[in-house]
Amino acid sequence: MSTVRPFRIDIPQAEIDDLRARLRNTRWAPSLPGADWERGVPTEYLREVAEYWATEFDWRAQETALNAFPQFVTEIEGLDVHVVHVRSPEPDAVPLLLTHGWPNSFVEFTRTIGPLTDPRAHGLDPAIAFDVVIPSVPGFAFSQAPRETGMTTATVARMWTTLMARLGYDRYGTQGGDLGAYIAPEMAVAAPEHVIGVHLDGGIGMPTAADVPAMSARDRAEWDEMQQWMTGGVDHHALLKAAPQSFAAGWNDSPVALLAWMLQKFQEFTPMAELAEDVIDRDHLLTNVALYWFTQTTGTSSWPMYDGLRDGGFAWPRDQNLVPTGVYGGGSPLMRTLADRGNKITHWPADNPGNHFVAMEEPTAHATDIRTFFAELR
């Protein structure tokens, strides 16, 4: 059970050919009235990206690039877990576990691996380097899906602490955004004696309705703006909590249905850009979409929604004051006040660039911020 086995991605050619045939044979839905993204992904834009996916996107090139990173599989709590594990050439590297988000995969971090593990090769101070561990969350990509309901972010965090011990690490940092922002602090709760610090992309200090009565007029205005932002777009939490099996039937059978869903969500996650691919390279986006297609994980990856993010329903990542916390996108004074109530905040920068998936959009800035936070904890 404790064996760590080498892993290599090798999608059969027949599956690649089948994907291209399905894309070519799409039965396109007619365009609905409305401008731009008012009714969802514009049909002409979707057709253009689908055509690119079928005729120009080179999966084999992306597969080769992914296989350049050492990958492994190991069984933890009855599930095979896929993990990218890249050791630094620097002798005093800090072990660092990165947890991806939804609807993302380990591909989220591929452009930050180099600056984190081999800073010397990227013109950075080699005194701050990391051994990087990037596991695929159960049900995502090449990690086995939960066999029963009841999987939680705390369970995954416990699995990750087992993984780090199995890889030989006693003291390490943890990092994540989106779904990863739930799992990273849970690792500190599970093993505070092993976790040196928690770095989050965001999702901390978020107010709730219970905080409203004590808010100032300025804070209440911010709360009202946040409500408009949080209720915009497609509520994937409600959708996937209610009927993930129904929606997965379409996403698992039609690559265009999957592509439309992914483009919709990444568009909503990049509010400061006109198009998601203006800030995230199209091939990077399609590599992530293709992984969901080839591994058939659009349904299995939805467990955070139907099992609930903590306590059976949606809630923001829980606080932990056991180890220091740093945040890439600190947020407003209101959020800092709320974050300080239950966390040891030691890093809260302002004006870091990027939208939601900053490791994909701003890999250099993301790696720099991680380096800055953990440099204070060595």
Side-chain angles (χ1 to χ4, degrees), residues 108-131:
E108 179 179 343
F109 298 111
T110 53
R111 298 185 180 185
T112 64
I113 292 174
L116 290 173
T117 59
D118 195 1
R120 193 186 303 270
H122 291 78
L124 302 171
D125 181 1
I128 307 170
F130 301 88
D131 286 348

Side-chain angles (χ1 to χ4, degrees), residues 207-223:
T208 67
D211 300 306
V212 172
M215 287 183 183
S216 66
R218 183 193 66 182
D219 291 344
R220 181 59 186 265
E222 180 181 342
W223 164 258

Side-chain angles (χ1 to χ4, degrees), residues 9 31 180 238 262 308 321 330:
I9 305 170
S31 297
M262 289 290 196
N321 59 9

Side-chain angles (χ1 to χ4, degrees), residues 112 115-116 124 130 328 362-372:
T112 64
L116 290 173
L124 302 171
F130 301 88
Y328 176 89
E362 300 284 352
T364 300
H366 193 236
T368 298
D369 200 72
I370 292 171
R371 285 165 50 84
T372 300

Side-chain angles (χ1 to χ4, degrees), residues 14-79:
E15 294 188 22
I16 299 173
D17 294 340
D18 175 70
L19 167 62
R20 291 172 176 161
R22 288 170 185 258
L23 288 166
R24 287 193 299 268
N25 294 326
T26 298
R27 188 174 72 163
W28 292 97
S31 297
L32 302 178
D36 297 325
W37 291 74
E38 188 177 6
R39 299 287 183 268
V41 185
T43 300
E44 288 307 308
Y45 176 63
L46 180 60
R47 293 187 73 146
E48 192 265 316
V49 178
E51 175 69 15
Y52 178 89
W53 193 8
T55 62
E56 297 184 53
F57 176 74
D58 187 345
W59 167 256
R60 288 301 186 202
Q62 300 301 321
E63 186 179 71
T64 298
L66 294 177
N67 280 330
F69 302 116
Q71 297 170 66
F72 305 89
V73 170
T74 188
E75 183 181 333
I76 305 175
E77 298 196 14
L79 300 176

Side-chain angles (χ1 to χ4, degrees), residues 226-241:
M226 290 179 67
Q227 294 310 292
Q228 294 178 12
W229 172 76
M230 289 189 291
T231 56
V234 177
D235 186 349
H236 54 274
H237 288 279
L239 184 152
L240 292 175
K241 183 175 179 63

